[in-house]
Amino acid sequence: MLLCGSPGLANAVATTAELQQLVDSYADRRGFNGTVLVAREGKVLLRAAYGKANVEWSVPSRTDARYRIGSLTKPLVATLTMQLVQQGTLRLDGTLGDYLPDLYAHTPAASVTVAQLLSHTSGLADLPGRYTDPWWHTAARRSYAPMDFAREWIPPTRQDDAGQWRYNNNGYFLLGLLIEHVTGQSLADNLQARIFAPAGMTASGLFTDAAVLDGLADGYTRTPQGTLVHPQRIDPSVSYAAAGIYSTAEDLYRFDRALYGEQLLSAASRQRMLQVQAGAYGFGWNVERWTLADGSALPVVSHTGSIPGYQSYYLRSEPHQDSVIILSNYWQGALVVAMGKDLMEVLNGKPMQPAARSLDDLLTPIAYRDGFDAMVRAYQQLGTRLAEYDHSEGAFNTLGYRFLRAGRKEEAVRVLEWGVARYPGSANAHDSLGEAYLASGRVNDARRSYQTALTIEPTSASALAALAALAELNERTPSR
């Protein structure tokens, strides 16, 4: 691990020590691999790197390492779009019919506005949401010119009503095309001239297969057996303005600092960008108000980024100019999100508690490598050591559904039974177990679980729907 801290507040030593201890616990107990930067009021409190940038050659991670940042691209593209709106080059009420007539004039998509693209309210069809979908293993491996991709994969129709929020990568892909159309320059050149250079982001760019990048951390994913492997390949042209940028923690912090002045946007434009439009989302940012331990409210804007091999999370809160930036090259989605929220809360007064170990990390590899019985024995042998693990209701639920979605029904049932045994008063625990029983063909057990869930929570919509479906199935099934 590499670490350096600099004093900022009166309690900077304690704060830095707590932040370091917290991130150390995520590395030691949860296997976090990557780079972290935490800052307040313009001073970096923690800058650290953990694990390996390249596993095969045992290259250690660096605090200045480059990472692909996935959908963290969106806040930067949104900022660039708002610059052009501020300058009058684009209009928030301008439409696809106005700016891309060759693709969308006189179609149902022609009335989609720039504001709707920014806020995920366009109603346009999107790419498959899961990387397990066959599309990502076939079409996504091809290289496309941006217009060709839009012509083939962003149809001129609306899937939802305008104004309905649904996360949409295609919307941001189209923003890249709009930017190129109205400026006459490529998206990469626009980002360099309008975002990276003004903010001092010297190690960032739009990723391409031709790029030779010093210090780029190699991306990995972990198999269910626990082995690190390189992830599936996706052609960079598919990511483009939705998920195509690479950067460093330090560069993203420079972007964060530039947002406070007028190097990138006027205060009015920034404020508009960070206002909720729909679905707790502004223009390119998740916009929330967290309730802290003392009951006070903390405004937080953030974005995650996920692309095979990489996971990122960037959170910022303006009252104390707080910034938390996490970049991982082990594609550690849930871990990175939990760590980011934890760091922001500790930075704002929550008592620091080291990260708990993960039942998922322990049991999933055993189940795949050594079988169902070995997983059961491993859980039973934890004994008092279970206290070291996250054994919340949510932890059992997440692990159970992981097995269920993988088709490992026996393991799913057993894990969710453990959850019910520990949380017998939880309607959700019984409801989840009912779903696993039903998937396993244990209809009577499923019915009992759903009925128990309803006894605990009589208004449970999912339990009511499941029991209604079972009753209908029973009526349709001929008696023997």
mmCIF file of all heavy atoms in Angstrom, residues 73-74 77 96 100 103-104 117-118 120 124-127 135 144-154 168-180 187 235-244:
data_model
loop_
_atom_site.group_PDB
_atom_site.id
_atom_site.type_symbol
_atom_site.label_atom_id
_atom_site.label_comp_id
_atom_site.label_asym_id
_atom_site.label_seq_id
_atom_site.Cartn_x
_atom_site.Cartn_y
_atom_site.Cartn_z
ATOM 1 N N THR A 73 -17.935 8.478 -16.903
ATOM 2 C CA THR A 73 -17.858 9.339 -18.088
ATOM 3 C C THR A 73 -19.025 10.321 -18.124
ATOM 4 O O THR A 73 -18.886 11.464 -18.586
ATOM 5 C CB THR A 73 -17.862 8.464 -19.357
ATOM 6 O OG1 THR A 73 -16.681 7.638 -19.370
ATOM 7 C CG2 THR A 73 -17.931 9.279 -20.628
ATOM 8 N N LYS A 74 -20.182 9.897 -17.653
ATOM 9 C CA LYS A 74 -21.402 10.697 -17.826
ATOM 10 C C LYS A 74 -21.343 12.065 -17.154
ATOM 11 O O LYS A 74 -21.748 13.069 -17.766
ATOM 12 C CB LYS A 74 -22.613 9.892 -17.364
ATOM 13 C CG LYS A 74 -22.934 8.709 -18.280
ATOM 14 C CD LYS A 74 -24.150 7.937 -17.808
ATOM 15 C CE LYS A 74 -24.517 6.835 -18.816
ATOM 16 N NZ LYS A 74 -23.525 5.747 -18.856
ATOM 17 N N VAL A 77 -19.262 14.249 -19.505
ATOM 18 C CA VAL A 77 -19.969 14.579 -20.742
ATOM 19 C C VAL A 77 -21.120 15.537 -20.452
ATOM 20 O O VAL A 77 -21.393 16.451 -21.246
ATOM 21 C CB VAL A 77 -20.461 13.291 -21.438
ATOM 22 C CG1 VAL A 77 -21.438 13.607 -22.569
ATOM 23 C CG2 VAL A 77 -19.267 12.508 -21.986
ATOM 24 N N LEU A 96 -33.467 15.854 -31.065
ATOM 25 C CA LEU A 96 -32.758 14.981 -32.002
ATOM 26 C C LEU A 96 -33.136 15.310 -33.439
ATOM 27 O O LEU A 96 -32.309 15.215 -34.342
ATOM 28 C CB LEU A 96 -33.076 13.519 -31.698
ATOM 29 C CG LEU A 96 -32.502 12.941 -30.404
ATOM 30 C CD1 LEU A 96 -32.908 11.475 -30.251
ATOM 31 C CD2 LEU A 96 -30.978 13.068 -30.378
ATOM 32 N N LEU A 100 -29.782 15.963 -35.244
ATOM 33 C CA LEU A 100 -29.398 14.759 -35.998
ATOM 34 C C LEU A 100 -30.523 14.375 -36.964
ATOM 35 O O LEU A 100 -31.096 13.277 -36.893
ATOM 36 C CB LEU A 100 -29.098 13.595 -35.035
ATOM 37 C CG LEU A 100 -27.948 13.800 -34.048
ATOM 38 C CD1 LEU A 100 -27.856 12.612 -33.092
ATOM 39 C CD2 LEU A 100 -26.623 13.986 -34.781
ATOM 40 N N LEU A 103 -30.713 10.986 -38.908
ATOM 41 C CA LEU A 103 -31.097 9.785 -38.172
ATOM 42 C C LEU A 103 -32.531 9.823 -37.662
ATOM 43 O O LEU A 103 -33.213 8.797 -37.652
ATOM 44 C CB LEU A 103 -30.150 9.582 -36.968
ATOM 45 C CG LEU A 103 -28.705 9.208 -37.259
ATOM 46 C CD1 LEU A 103 -27.921 9.131 -35.953
ATOM 47 C CD2 LEU A 103 -28.634 7.867 -37.987
ATOM 48 N N TYR A 104 -32.995 11.016 -37.236
ATOM 49 C CA TYR A 104 -34.218 11.027 -36.431
ATOM 50 C C TYR A 104 -35.322 11.974 -36.900
ATOM 51 O O TYR A 104 -36.400 11.985 -36.300
ATOM 52 C CB TYR A 104 -33.856 11.335 -34.973
ATOM 53 C CG TYR A 104 -32.952 10.293 -34.380
ATOM 54 C CD1 TYR A 104 -31.619 10.566 -34.092
ATOM 55 C CD2 TYR A 104 -33.424 8.997 -34.157
ATOM 56 C CE1 TYR A 104 -30.778 9.586 -33.562
ATOM 57 C CE2 TYR A 104 -32.603 8.012 -33.639
ATOM 58 C CZ TYR A 104 -31.279 8.312 -33.344
ATOM 59 O OH TYR A 104 -30.463 7.342 -32.846
ATOM 60 N N LEU A 117 -32.074 13.599 -22.745
ATOM 61 C CA LEU A 117 -30.896 12.732 -22.871
ATOM 62 C C LEU A 117 -30.030 12.828 -21.622
ATOM 63 O O LEU A 117 -29.533 11.819 -21.110
ATOM 64 C CB LEU A 117 -30.079 13.126 -24.100
ATOM 65 C CG LEU A 117 -30.752 12.959 -25.470
ATOM 66 C CD1 LEU A 117 -29.864 13.521 -26.573
ATOM 67 C CD2 LEU A 117 -31.076 11.496 -25.748
ATOM 68 N N LEU A 118 -29.836 14.043 -21.112
ATOM 69 C CA LEU A 118 -29.003 14.263 -19.930
ATOM 70 C C LEU A 118 -29.590 13.616 -18.681
ATOM 71 O O LEU A 118 -28.846 13.161 -17.799
ATOM 72 C CB LEU A 118 -28.828 15.761 -19.681
ATOM 73 C CG LEU A 118 -27.860 16.511 -20.592
ATOM 74 C CD1 LEU A 118 -28.066 18.019 -20.455
ATOM 75 C CD2 LEU A 118 -26.414 16.140 -20.261
ATOM 76 N N HIS A 120 -31.859 11.007 -18.488
ATOM 77 C CA HIS A 120 -32.366 9.635 -18.655
ATOM 78 C C HIS A 120 -33.890 9.591 -18.705
ATOM 79 O O HIS A 120 -34.515 8.667 -18.176
ATOM 80 C CB HIS A 120 -31.866 8.718 -17.535
ATOM 81 C CG HIS A 120 -30.381 8.564 -17.471
ATOM 82 N ND1 HIS A 120 -29.624 8.095 -18.523
ATOM 83 C CD2 HIS A 120 -29.495 8.815 -16.464
ATOM 84 C CE1 HIS A 120 -28.351 8.064 -18.162
ATOM 85 N NE2 HIS A 120 -28.242 8.503 -16.928
ATOM 86 N N LEU A 124 -35.996 6.434 -24.963
ATOM 87 C CA LEU A 124 -35.384 5.656 -26.041
ATOM 88 C C LEU A 124 -35.036 4.245 -25.583
ATOM 89 O O LEU A 124 -34.779 3.999 -24.396
ATOM 90 C CB LEU A 124 -34.105 6.351 -26.512
ATOM 91 C CG LEU A 124 -34.267 7.715 -27.190
ATOM 92 C CD1 LEU A 124 -32.906 8.349 -27.408
ATOM 93 C CD2 LEU A 124 -35.022 7.571 -28.519
ATOM 94 N N ALA A 125 -35.009 3.328 -26.511
ATOM 95 C CA ALA A 125 -34.555 1.974 -26.203
ATOM 96 C C ALA A 125 -33.080 2.011 -25.836
ATOM 97 O O ALA A 125 -32.320 2.836 -26.346
ATOM 98 C CB ALA A 125 -34.777 1.059 -27.400
ATOM 99 N N ASP A 126 -32.683 1.121 -24.937
ATOM 100 C CA ASP A 126 -31.287 1.102 -24.496
ATOM 101 C C ASP A 126 -30.661 -0.259 -24.789
ATOM 102 O O ASP A 126 -31.345 -1.218 -25.170
ATOM 103 C CB ASP A 126 -31.205 1.404 -23.003
ATOM 104 C CG ASP A 126 -29.800 1.808 -22.559
ATOM 105 O OD1 ASP A 126 -28.974 2.147 -23.444
ATOM 106 O OD2 ASP A 126 -29.525 1.799 -21.352
ATOM 107 N N LEU A 127 -29.356 -0.331 -24.568
ATOM 108 C CA LEU A 127 -28.633 -1.586 -24.713
ATOM 109 C C LEU A 127 -29.009 -2.527 -23.578
ATOM 110 O O LEU A 127 -29.514 -2.094 -22.537
ATOM 111 C CB LEU A 127 -27.127 -1.310 -24.675
ATOM 112 C CG LEU A 127 -26.613 -0.279 -25.679
ATOM 113 C CD1 LEU A 127 -25.123 -0.065 -25.478
ATOM 114 C CD2 LEU A 127 -26.904 -0.729 -27.105
ATOM 115 N N TRP A 135 -25.804 -10.004 -26.505
ATOM 116 C CA TRP A 135 -25.424 -8.833 -27.300
ATOM 117 C C TRP A 135 -24.014 -8.384 -26.970
ATOM 118 O O TRP A 135 -23.248 -8.004 -27.867
ATOM 119 C CB TRP A 135 -26.412 -7.686 -27.045
ATOM 120 C CG TRP A 135 -26.192 -6.504 -27.949
ATOM 121 C CD1 TRP A 135 -26.747 -6.288 -29.167
ATOM 122 C CD2 TRP A 135 -25.335 -5.374 -27.698
ATOM 123 N NE1 TRP A 135 -26.298 -5.104 -29.702
ATOM 124 C CE2 TRP A 135 -25.431 -4.515 -28.826
ATOM 125 C CE3 TRP A 135 -24.495 -5.005 -26.651
ATOM 126 C CZ2 TRP A 135 -24.730 -3.323 -28.910
ATOM 127 C CZ3 TRP A 135 -23.789 -3.808 -26.725
ATOM 128 C CH2 TRP A 135 -23.911 -2.977 -27.852
ATOM 129 N N TYR A 144 -17.302 0.392 -34.313
ATOM 130 C CA TYR A 144 -18.280 1.211 -35.010
ATOM 131 C C TYR A 144 -17.821 2.662 -35.082
ATOM 132 O O TYR A 144 -17.245 3.192 -34.121
ATOM 133 C CB TYR A 144 -19.622 1.219 -34.254
ATOM 134 C CG TYR A 144 -20.269 -0.106 -34.041
ATOM 135 C CD1 TYR A 144 -19.923 -0.904 -32.951
ATOM 136 C CD2 TYR A 144 -21.263 -0.562 -34.905
ATOM 137 C CE1 TYR A 144 -20.546 -2.114 -32.726
ATOM 138 C CE2 TYR A 144 -21.901 -1.786 -34.686
ATOM 139 C CZ TYR A 144 -21.533 -2.558 -33.595
ATOM 140 O OH TYR A 144 -22.155 -3.765 -33.373
ATOM 141 N N ALA A 145 -18.108 3.329 -36.196
ATOM 142 C CA ALA A 145 -18.119 4.787 -36.194
ATOM 143 C C ALA A 145 -19.364 5.203 -35.424
ATOM 144 O O ALA A 145 -20.387 4.516 -35.460
ATOM 145 C CB ALA A 145 -18.174 5.326 -37.617
ATOM 146 N N PRO A 146 -19.309 6.330 -34.684
ATOM 147 C CA PRO A 146 -20.458 6.701 -33.839
ATOM 148 C C PRO A 146 -21.789 6.753 -34.581
ATOM 149 O O PRO A 146 -22.803 6.252 -34.091
ATOM 150 C CB PRO A 146 -20.049 8.070 -33.288
ATOM 151 C CG PRO A 146 -18.556 8.022 -33.243
ATOM 152 C CD PRO A 146 -18.165 7.234 -34.459
ATOM 153 N N MET A 147 -21.808 7.355 -35.775
ATOM 154 C CA MET A 147 -23.071 7.430 -36.521
ATOM 155 C C MET A 147 -23.568 6.040 -36.912
ATOM 156 O O MET A 147 -24.774 5.775 -36.890
ATOM 157 C CB MET A 147 -22.901 8.307 -37.765
ATOM 158 C CG MET A 147 -22.881 9.797 -37.481
ATOM 159 S SD MET A 147 -24.505 10.446 -36.997
ATOM 160 C CE MET A 147 -25.357 10.456 -38.596
ATOM 161 N N ASP A 148 -22.654 5.161 -37.264
ATOM 162 C CA ASP A 148 -23.047 3.806 -37.647
ATOM 163 C C ASP A 148 -23.643 3.055 -36.459
ATOM 164 O O ASP A 148 -24.622 2.316 -36.599
ATOM 165 C CB ASP A 148 -21.850 3.038 -38.203
ATOM 166 C CG ASP A 148 -21.382 3.577 -39.538
ATOM 167 O OD1 ASP A 148 -22.190 4.251 -40.222
ATOM 168 O OD2 ASP A 148 -20.209 3.341 -39.894
ATOM 169 N N PHE A 149 -23.042 3.247 -35.285
ATOM 170 C CA PHE A 149 -23.583 2.587 -34.095
ATOM 171 C C PHE A 149 -25.003 3.075 -33.820
ATOM 172 O O PHE A 149 -25.914 2.285 -33.559
ATOM 173 C CB PHE A 149 -22.696 2.861 -32.880
ATOM 174 C CG PHE A 149 -23.182 2.187 -31.627
ATOM 175 C CD1 PHE A 149 -22.764 0.903 -31.314
ATOM 176 C CD2 PHE A 149 -24.071 2.817 -30.768
ATOM 177 C CE1 PHE A 149 -23.226 0.259 -30.170
ATOM 178 C CE2 PHE A 149 -24.543 2.191 -29.629
ATOM 179 C CZ PHE A 149 -24.119 0.908 -29.328
ATOM 180 N N ALA A 150 -25.198 4.397 -33.866
ATOM 181 C CA ALA A 150 -26.529 4.955 -33.612
ATOM 182 C C ALA A 150 -27.540 4.437 -34.630
ATOM 183 O O ALA A 150 -28.679 4.092 -34.287
ATOM 184 C CB ALA A 150 -26.471 6.476 -33.641
ATOM 185 N N ARG A 151 -27.116 4.376 -35.882
ATOM 186 C CA ARG A 151 -28.035 3.922 -36.937
ATOM 187 C C ARG A 151 -28.452 2.470 -36.702
ATOM 188 O O ARG A 151 -29.613 2.098 -36.949
ATOM 189 C CB ARG A 151 -27.345 4.075 -38.298
ATOM 190 C CG ARG A 151 -28.260 3.863 -39.492
ATOM 191 C CD ARG A 151 -27.553 4.209 -40.792
ATOM 192 N NE ARG A 151 -27.401 5.658 -40.963
ATOM 193 C CZ ARG A 151 -26.245 6.312 -40.882
ATOM 194 N NH1 ARG A 151 -25.122 5.646 -40.630
ATOM 195 N NH2 ARG A 151 -26.199 7.620 -41.057
ATOM 196 N N GLU A 152 -27.530 1.652 -36.184
ATOM 197 C CA GLU A 152 -27.820 0.232 -36.027
ATOM 198 C C GLU A 152 -28.467 -0.100 -34.683
ATOM 199 O O GLU A 152 -29.323 -0.986 -34.609
ATOM 200 C CB GLU A 152 -26.531 -0.587 -36.184
ATOM 201 C CG GLU A 152 -26.763 -2.086 -36.190
ATOM 202 C CD GLU A 152 -25.550 -2.867 -36.674
ATOM 203 O OE1 GLU A 152 -24.575 -2.226 -37.131
ATOM 204 O OE2 GLU A 152 -25.594 -4.104 -36.616
ATOM 205 N N TRP A 153 -28.080 0.616 -33.603
ATOM 206 C CA TRP A 153 -28.472 0.173 -32.268
ATOM 207 C C TRP A 153 -29.269 1.191 -31.455
ATOM 208 O O TRP A 153 -29.620 0.924 -30.310
ATOM 209 C CB TRP A 153 -27.234 -0.253 -31.477
ATOM 210 C CG TRP A 153 -26.545 -1.428 -32.105
ATOM 211 C CD1 TRP A 153 -25.315 -1.454 -32.695
ATOM 212 C CD2 TRP A 153 -27.063 -2.752 -32.226
ATOM 213 N NE1 TRP A 153 -25.025 -2.699 -33.183
ATOM 214 C CE2 TRP A 153 -26.090 -3.530 -32.903
ATOM 215 C CE3 TRP A 153 -28.252 -3.366 -31.840
ATOM 216 C CZ2 TRP A 153 -26.276 -4.875 -33.187
ATOM 217 C CZ3 TRP A 153 -28.435 -4.717 -32.123
ATOM 218 C CH2 TRP A 153 -27.448 -5.455 -32.789
ATOM 219 N N ILE A 154 -29.547 2.375 -32.010
ATOM 220 C CA ILE A 154 -30.391 3.342 -31.300
ATOM 221 C C ILE A 154 -31.565 3.666 -32.211
ATOM 222 O O ILE A 154 -31.557 4.656 -32.955
ATOM 223 C CB ILE A 154 -29.607 4.609 -30.911
ATOM 224 C CG1 ILE A 154 -28.271 4.234 -30.231
ATOM 225 C CG2 ILE A 154 -30.440 5.474 -29.967
ATOM 226 C CD1 ILE A 154 -27.440 5.418 -29.797
ATOM 227 N N ASN A 168 -30.089 5.151 -19.108
ATOM 228 C CA ASN A 168 -30.041 4.941 -20.548
ATOM 229 C C ASN A 168 -28.677 5.319 -21.110
ATOM 230 O O ASN A 168 -28.356 6.499 -21.263
ATOM 231 C CB ASN A 168 -31.149 5.781 -21.211
ATOM 232 C CG ASN A 168 -31.433 5.349 -22.631
ATOM 233 O OD1 ASN A 168 -30.523 5.203 -23.427
ATOM 234 N ND2 ASN A 168 -32.706 5.153 -22.946
ATOM 235 N N ASN A 169 -27.865 4.313 -21.407
ATOM 236 C CA ASN A 169 -26.560 4.564 -22.016
ATOM 237 C C ASN A 169 -26.680 5.139 -23.424
ATOM 238 O O ASN A 169 -25.871 5.974 -23.834
ATOM 239 C CB ASN A 169 -25.742 3.272 -22.044
ATOM 240 C CG ASN A 169 -25.160 2.921 -20.705
ATOM 241 O OD1 ASN A 169 -24.333 3.640 -20.161
ATOM 242 N ND2 ASN A 169 -25.608 1.809 -20.138
ATOM 243 N N ASN A 170 -27.679 4.696 -24.156
ATOM 244 C CA ASN A 170 -27.845 5.206 -25.523
ATOM 245 C C ASN A 170 -28.064 6.710 -25.545
ATOM 246 O O ASN A 170 -27.644 7.402 -26.487
ATOM 247 C CB ASN A 170 -29.013 4.493 -26.213
ATOM 248 C CG ASN A 170 -28.596 3.189 -26.868
ATOM 249 O OD1 ASN A 170 -27.409 2.907 -27.004
ATOM 250 N ND2 ASN A 170 -29.563 2.382 -27.268
ATOM 251 N N GLY A 171 -28.740 7.230 -24.537
ATOM 252 C CA GLY A 171 -28.945 8.676 -24.472
ATOM 253 C C GLY A 171 -27.636 9.433 -24.424
ATOM 254 O O GLY A 171 -27.463 10.470 -25.091
ATOM 255 N N TYR A 172 -26.677 8.931 -23.644
ATOM 256 C CA TYR A 172 -25.377 9.614 -23.551
ATOM 257 C C TYR A 172 -24.533 9.375 -24.792
ATOM 258 O O TYR A 172 -23.727 10.235 -25.182
ATOM 259 C CB TYR A 172 -24.657 9.196 -22.262
ATOM 260 C CG TYR A 172 -25.056 10.140 -21.145
ATOM 261 C CD1 TYR A 172 -26.296 10.022 -20.537
ATOM 262 C CD2 TYR A 172 -24.232 11.187 -20.758
ATOM 263 C CE1 TYR A 172 -26.702 10.907 -19.552
ATOM 264 C CE2 TYR A 172 -24.619 12.079 -19.776
ATOM 265 C CZ TYR A 172 -25.859 11.932 -19.178
ATOM 266 O OH TYR A 172 -26.251 12.832 -18.212
ATOM 267 N N PHE A 173 -24.696 8.222 -25.430
ATOM 268 C CA PHE A 173 -24.026 8.010 -26.706
ATOM 269 C C PHE A 173 -24.458 9.100 -27.688
ATOM 270 O O PHE A 173 -23.625 9.707 -28.386
ATOM 271 C CB PHE A 173 -24.372 6.626 -27.253
ATOM 272 C CG PHE A 173 -23.483 6.161 -28.373
ATOM 273 C CD1 PHE A 173 -22.482 5.244 -28.144
ATOM 274 C CD2 PHE A 173 -23.645 6.653 -29.667
ATOM 275 C CE1 PHE A 173 -21.647 4.815 -29.179
ATOM 276 C CE2 PHE A 173 -22.832 6.234 -30.695
ATOM 277 C CZ PHE A 173 -21.823 5.315 -30.460
ATOM 278 N N LEU A 174 -25.756 9.387 -27.712
ATOM 279 C CA LEU A 174 -26.268 10.403 -28.630
ATOM 280 C C LEU A 174 -25.778 11.800 -28.256
ATOM 281 O O LEU A 174 -25.563 12.642 -29.147
ATOM 282 C CB LEU A 174 -27.791 10.364 -28.660
ATOM 283 C CG LEU A 174 -28.402 9.149 -29.355
ATOM 284 C CD1 LEU A 174 -29.911 9.150 -29.223
ATOM 285 C CD2 LEU A 174 -27.994 9.097 -30.828
ATOM 286 N N LEU A 175 -25.588 12.066 -26.973
ATOM 287 C CA LEU A 175 -25.019 13.368 -26.601
ATOM 288 C C LEU A 175 -23.637 13.557 -27.222
ATOM 289 O O LEU A 175 -23.285 14.667 -27.639
ATOM 290 C CB LEU A 175 -24.926 13.482 -25.077
ATOM 291 C CG LEU A 175 -26.243 13.757 -24.346
ATOM 292 C CD1 LEU A 175 -26.042 13.634 -22.839
ATOM 293 C CD2 LEU A 175 -26.785 15.150 -24.690
ATOM 294 N N GLY A 176 -22.856 12.476 -27.285
ATOM 295 C CA GLY A 176 -21.560 12.580 -27.957
ATOM 296 C C GLY A 176 -21.704 12.971 -29.413
ATOM 297 O O GLY A 176 -20.954 13.806 -29.936
ATOM 298 N N LEU A 177 -22.687 12.385 -30.090
ATOM 299 C CA LEU A 177 -22.934 12.739 -31.488
ATOM 300 C C LEU A 177 -23.391 14.185 -31.635
ATOM 301 O O LEU A 177 -22.968 14.894 -32.567
ATOM 302 C CB LEU A 177 -23.994 11.810 -32.079
ATOM 303 C CG LEU A 177 -23.528 10.435 -32.559
ATOM 304 C CD1 LEU A 177 -24.713 9.613 -33.040
ATOM 305 C CD2 LEU A 177 -22.503 10.575 -33.670
ATOM 306 N N LEU A 178 -24.242 14.632 -30.723
ATOM 307 C CA LEU A 178 -24.702 16.020 -30.775
ATOM 308 C C LEU A 178 -23.538 16.982 -30.587
ATOM 309 O O LEU A 178 -23.414 17.992 -31.296
ATOM 310 C CB LEU A 178 -25.753 16.275 -29.690
ATOM 311 C CG LEU A 178 -27.221 16.152 -30.101
ATOM 312 C CD1 LEU A 178 -27.543 14.727 -30.549
ATOM 313 C CD2 LEU A 178 -28.129 16.536 -28.927
ATOM 314 N N ILE A 179 -22.650 16.658 -29.642
ATOM 315 C CA ILE A 179 -21.484 17.504 -29.395
ATOM 316 C C ILE A 179 -20.616 17.598 -30.643
ATOM 317 O O ILE A 179 -20.159 18.677 -31.040
ATOM 318 C CB ILE A 179 -20.686 16.952 -28.187
ATOM 319 C CG1 ILE A 179 -21.480 17.176 -26.894
ATOM 320 C CG2 ILE A 179 -19.307 17.599 -28.097
ATOM 321 C CD1 ILE A 179 -20.965 16.384 -25.708
ATOM 322 N N GLU A 180 -20.384 16.463 -31.295
ATOM 323 C CA GLU A 180 -19.578 16.475 -32.517
ATOM 324 C C GLU A 180 -20.265 17.272 -33.620
ATOM 325 O O GLU A 180 -19.611 18.023 -34.363
ATOM 326 C CB GLU A 180 -19.310 15.038 -32.977
ATOM 327 C CG GLU A 180 -18.413 14.255 -32.039
ATOM 328 C CD GLU A 180 -17.916 12.958 -32.630
ATOM 329 O OE1 GLU A 180 -18.436 12.535 -33.689
ATOM 330 O OE2 GLU A 180 -17.006 12.357 -32.040
ATOM 331 N N LEU A 187 -15.511 14.058 -30.315
ATOM 332 C CA LEU A 187 -15.772 14.069 -28.874
ATOM 333 C C LEU A 187 -14.464 14.103 -28.095
ATOM 334 O O LEU A 187 -14.341 14.844 -27.112
ATOM 335 C CB LEU A 187 -16.588 12.831 -28.481
ATOM 336 C CG LEU A 187 -16.833 12.646 -26.976
ATOM 337 C CD1 LEU A 187 -17.680 13.790 -26.421
ATOM 338 C CD2 LEU A 187 -17.490 11.298 -26.705
ATOM 339 N N ASP A 235 -15.618 -3.727 -27.491
ATOM 340 C CA ASP A 235 -14.899 -2.740 -28.290
ATOM 341 C C ASP A 235 -15.110 -1.342 -27.697
ATOM 342 O O ASP A 235 -16.242 -0.964 -27.352
ATOM 343 C CB ASP A 235 -15.390 -2.761 -29.735
ATOM 344 C CG ASP A 235 -14.461 -1.977 -30.649
ATOM 345 O OD1 ASP A 235 -13.505 -2.575 -31.158
ATOM 346 O OD2 ASP A 235 -14.705 -0.756 -30.818
ATOM 347 N N PRO A 236 -14.048 -0.551 -27.566
ATOM 348 C CA PRO A 236 -14.182 0.775 -26.959
ATOM 349 C C PRO A 236 -15.161 1.695 -27.676
ATOM 350 O O PRO A 236 -15.730 2.594 -27.061
ATOM 351 C CB PRO A 236 -12.763 1.339 -27.028
ATOM 352 C CG PRO A 236 -11.872 0.147 -27.098
ATOM 353 C CD PRO A 236 -12.642 -0.884 -27.858
ATOM 354 N N SER A 237 -15.370 1.468 -28.971
ATOM 355 C CA SER A 237 -16.277 2.344 -29.712
ATOM 356 C C SER A 237 -17.713 2.238 -29.198
ATOM 357 O O SER A 237 -18.517 3.164 -29.369
ATOM 358 C CB SER A 237 -16.234 2.018 -31.206
ATOM 359 O OG SER A 237 -16.718 0.706 -31.454
ATOM 360 N N VAL A 238 -18.051 1.134 -28.561
ATOM 361 C CA VAL A 238 -19.389 0.946 -28.017
ATOM 362 C C VAL A 238 -19.597 1.822 -26.775
ATOM 363 O O VAL A 238 -20.714 2.231 -26.474
ATOM 364 C CB VAL A 238 -19.614 -0.546 -27.685
ATOM 365 C CG1 VAL A 238 -20.922 -0.767 -26.955
ATOM 366 C CG2 VAL A 238 -19.570 -1.380 -28.965
ATOM 367 N N SER A 239 -18.512 2.124 -26.079
ATOM 368 C CA SER A 239 -18.604 2.905 -24.832
ATOM 369 C C SER A 239 -18.726 4.395 -25.115
ATOM 370 O O SER A 239 -19.544 5.085 -24.501
ATOM 371 C CB SER A 239 -17.374 2.632 -23.957
ATOM 372 O OG SER A 239 -17.281 1.265 -23.643
ATOM 373 N N TYR A 240 -17.834 4.949 -25.923
ATOM 374 C CA TYR A 240 -17.936 6.314 -26.444
ATOM 375 C C TYR A 240 -18.335 7.312 -25.353
ATOM 376 O O TYR A 240 -17.697 7.372 -24.306
ATOM 377 C CB TYR A 240 -18.915 6.288 -27.625
ATOM 378 C CG TYR A 240 -19.067 7.563 -28.436
ATOM 379 C CD1 TYR A 240 -17.967 8.208 -28.986
ATOM 380 C CD2 TYR A 240 -20.331 8.093 -28.669
ATOM 381 C CE1 TYR A 240 -18.127 9.359 -29.757
ATOM 382 C CE2 TYR A 240 -20.510 9.243 -29.451
ATOM 383 C CZ TYR A 240 -19.391 9.883 -29.981
ATOM 384 O OH TYR A 240 -19.554 11.011 -30.744
ATOM 385 N N ALA A 241 -19.389 8.094 -25.573
ATOM 386 C CA ALA A 241 -19.761 9.159 -24.627
ATOM 387 C C ALA A 241 -20.514 8.643 -23.410
ATOM 388 O O ALA A 241 -20.757 9.402 -22.469
ATOM 389 C CB ALA A 241 -20.628 10.207 -25.334
ATOM 390 N N ALA A 242 -20.865 7.358 -23.408
ATOM 391 C CA ALA A 242 -21.582 6.794 -22.260
ATOM 392 C C ALA A 242 -20.639 6.231 -21.215
ATOM 393 O O ALA A 242 -20.933 6.291 -20.016
ATOM 394 C CB ALA A 242 -22.540 5.702 -22.724
ATOM 395 N N ALA A 243 -19.488 5.685 -21.640
ATOM 396 C CA ALA A 243 -18.627 4.991 -20.670
ATOM 397 C C ALA A 243 -17.184 4.875 -21.152
ATOM 398 O O ALA A 243 -16.477 3.956 -20.762
ATOM 399 C CB ALA A 243 -19.190 3.592 -20.403
ATOM 400 N N GLY A 244 -16.715 5.817 -21.989
ATOM 401 C CA GLY A 244 -15.458 5.618 -22.691
ATOM 402 C C GLY A 244 -14.218 6.265 -22.115
ATOM 403 O O GLY A 244 -13.124 6.074 -22.646
#
